[in-house]
């Protein structure tokens, strides 16, 4: 069974890393697999350094219609049994059209976001007519598709995964705090997400005055880049929070950043299944998240963290104050989260889940 994987994301984000983990897992199992990725992107560099079988191509963006012909040529040369399209937005549509044009192999389309989907002919074309299966990374995303009229029998759910060892830092807490210039003993909250509106950073800023009234030395780390950075910096300055909110930008040392933190905060308004929650759980710290999309499937209330309604700064402050005031609860939730990630959200489970979908399509039984 030969599979070909299409991921045109240029940056080292959650979805891109899932494809990288999947490619490595398939190689470890002796399953032939080819990666099609954007030339010069982070995934290209990672895959090349790891010796993965890849086809790097020029890609000018989600309306690059010439990509259809480039991909069709690759499909005819490689003749895969299964084509797995991981990219989203325009790149996945272009990939579906290229696969349809060639008529080569079974087609699997991944969906990683829980954005609303409108019922209609376009949705049926994209999720029913063109692909043979749709793989969602959470049950919440599957519900969104089913509510839009996509038949459940064409959907399979396979959780995202992380290389959990990568987030278990070798630094002790004192070393990790020194690395980030954090004073000993102060409460530390961290948000690791793109700086875009749907990640909800603004709701933590609105909750922060209540938190600082009880814990005045609280520090907040914003890790990530995005179009909302100037707006968020302006809000921090206007609220007089410059002394406690720091923007760290994009970082590759997430395990070391999580090590000195007390709570990961994920106040998103929409979220399919945030890998960063699993990263925090792997590092042994609890998560406070909005109860949106697939988040309740990893951030299990009172088990691995606390869930709050979205866009509710008061509820967010309540949850954070509860955790900051109860070290034993933080330790218990963190330990349980680490155990669940290592057992349920490991890369082996993710690879085997996708392999089951491929085998089903090729006549090897239902996934």
């Amino acid at each position: 069974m030969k599979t070909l994987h299409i991921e045109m994301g240029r940056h080292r984000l959650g979805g891109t890393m899932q494809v990288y983990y999947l490619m490595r897992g398939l190689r470890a199992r002796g399953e032939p697999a080819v990666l099609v990725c954007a030339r010069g992107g982070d995934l290209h560099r990672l895959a090349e350094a790891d010796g993965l079988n890849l086809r790097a191509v020029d890609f000018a963006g989600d309306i690059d219609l010439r990509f259809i012909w480039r991909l069709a040529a690759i499909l005819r040369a490689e003749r895969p049994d299964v084509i797995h399209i991981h990219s989203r937005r325009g790149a996945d549509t272009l990939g579906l059209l290229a696969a349809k044009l060639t008529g080569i192999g079974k087609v699997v389309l991944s969906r990683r976001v829980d954005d609303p989907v409108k019922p209609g002919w376009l949705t049926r074309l994209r999720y029913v007519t063109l692909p043979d299966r749709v793989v969602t990374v959470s049950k919440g995303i599957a519900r969104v598709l089913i509510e839009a009229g996509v038949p459940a029998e064409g959907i399979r759910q396979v959780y995202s995964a992380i290389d959990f060892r990568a987030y278990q830092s070798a630094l002790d807490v004192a070393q990790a705090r020194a690395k980030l210039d954090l004073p000993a003993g102060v409460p530390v909250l961290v948000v690791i997400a793109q700086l875009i509106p749907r990640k909800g950073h603004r709701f933590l800023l609105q909750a922060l005055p209540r938190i600082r009234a009880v814990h005045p030395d609280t520090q907040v780390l914003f890790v990530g880049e995005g179009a909302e950075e100037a707006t968020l910096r302006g809000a921090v300055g206007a609220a007089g929070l410059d002394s406690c909110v720091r923007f760290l930008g994009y970082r590759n040392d997430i395990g070391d950043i999580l090590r000195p933190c007390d709570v990961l905060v994920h106040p998103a308004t929409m979220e399919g299944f945030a890998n960063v929650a699993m990263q925090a759980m792997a590092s042994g710290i609890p998560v406070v998240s909005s109860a949106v999309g697939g988040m309740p499937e990893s951030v299990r209330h009172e088990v691995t963290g606390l869930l709050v309604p979205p866009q509710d700064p008061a509820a967010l402050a309540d949850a954070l104050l509860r955790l900051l005031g109860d070290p034993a609860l933080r330790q218990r939730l963190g330990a349980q989260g680490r155990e669940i990630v290592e057992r349920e959200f490991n890369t082996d489970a993710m690879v085997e889940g996708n392999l089951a979908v491929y085998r089903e399509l090729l006549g090897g039984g239902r996934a």
Side-chain angles (χ1 to χ4, degrees):
M1 177 177 58
K2 182 179 184 179
T3 59
L4 182 141
H5 302 262
I6 304 165
E7 174 53 71
M8 305 313 292
R10 293 186 175 276
H11 303 295
R12 189 171 175 168
L13 300 174
T16 310
M17 294 306 294
Q18 293 304 302
V19 182
Y20 175 60
Y21 296 147
L22 178 56
M23 289 292 298
R24 291 199 308 178
L26 292 171
R27 180 179 62 182
R29 289 160 174 76
E31 299 284 356
V34 181
L35 171 65
V36 178
C37 62
R39 192 187 311 278
D42 290 344
L43 183 57
H44 179 194
R45 287 187 284 271
L46 275 172
E48 191 171 54
D50 209 4
L52 295 173
N53 187 8
L54 67 91
R55 292 287 199 105
V57 298
D58 295 323
F59 183 60
D62 291 337
I63 57 172
D64 182 4
L65 297 179
R66 291 174 297 179
F67 176 67
I68 296 174
W69 312 112
R70 296 188 199 107
L71 181 56
I74 293 172
L75 294 176
R76 292 188 182 104
E78 295 290 347
R79 308 294 302 183
D81 300 296
V82 175
I83 302 163
H84 192 158
I85 302 170
H86 301 269
S87 297
R88 57 176 297 223
R89 297 194 184 98
D92 57 0
T93 302
L94 298 176
L96 286 167
L97 292 173
K100 185 69 172 180
L101 180 68
T102 61
I104 295 171
K106 298 292 186 178
V107 180
V108 177
L109 175 66
S110 280
R111 183 170 173 86
R112 303 184 183 280
V113 296
D114 70 333
D115 302 21
V117 177
K118 294 181 179 179
W121 70 269
L122 189 58
T123 290
R124 289 196 62 82
L125 178 69
R126 186 168 176 170
Y127 294 106
V128 182
T129 305
L130 293 178
D132 295 287
R133 289 290 183 275
V134 176
V135 173
T136 67
V137 300
S138 73
K139 296 173 184 175
I141 299 172
R143 284 195 299 271
V144 168
L145 292 177
I146 292 168
E147 289 167 2
V150 178
E153 56 266 28
I155 301 171
R156 301 291 179 266
Q157 188 265 311
V158 179
Y159 282 123
S160 293
I162 61 168
D163 180 1
F164 57 82
R165 296 175 187 85
Y167 302 99
Q168 296 171 349
S169 175
L171 301 179
D172 62 30
V173 171
Q175 291 171 324
R177 290 199 172 219
K179 179 178 178 177
L180 294 172
D181 196 26
L182 290 167
V186 303
V188 182
L189 309 177
V190 62
V191 182
I192 304 176
Q194 296 179 72
L195 304 180
I196 55 178
R198 70 181 180 88
K199 296 299 183 179
H201 297 77
R202 62 194 181 278
F203 302 115
L204 177 56
L205 295 181
Q206 293 167 25
L208 201 49
R210 270 193 61 204
I211 295 167
R212 294 185 73 211
V214 181
H215 302 281
D217 51 355
T218 298
Q219 295 288 299
V220 176
L221 307 178
F222 284 170
V223 182
E225 300 174 334
E228 193 80 352
E229 181 169 349
T231 300
L232 289 170
R233 285 185 179 275
V236 167
L241 298 173
D242 297 276
S243 64
C244 67
V245 179
R246 295 168 52 191
F247 291 79
L248 301 187
Y250 177 80
R251 300 287 292 253
N252 283 323
D253 56 342
I254 297 300
D256 289 349
I257 289 173
L258 287 166
R259 186 72 175 103
C261 296
D262 295 293
V263 184
L264 176 94
V265 190
H266 195 70
T269 60
M270 292 189 298
E271 191 64 74
F273 192 76
N275 291 344
V276 69
M278 295 187 290
Q279 293 166 7
M281 289 158 59
S283 74
I285 69 171
V287 181
V288 171
S289 173
S290 303
V292 295
M295 294 309 299
E297 296 167 50
S298 60
V299 184
R300 299 169 190 174
H301 190 59
E302 303 281 358
V303 178
T304 66
L306 301 176
L307 293 169
V308 299
Q311 305 183 55
D312 190 337
L316 186 61
D318 288 342
L320 290 169
L321 286 171
R322 180 183 171 196
L323 285 178
L324 292 178
D326 192 339
L329 177 61
R330 293 201 307 271
Q331 183 176 17
R332 176 171 64 81
L333 298 181
Q336 290 170 171
R338 181 168 176 166
E339 179 185 350
I340 286 172
V341 163
E342 293 184 2
R343 184 178 69 243
E344 298 182 24
F345 301 125
N346 59 75
T347 55
D348 283 340
M350 183 268 289
V351 174
E352 290 298 330
N354 281 289
L355 270 171
V357 177
Y358 308 155
R359 289 169 179 150
E360 176 199 5
L361 285 174
L362 298 177
R366 192 185 188 283

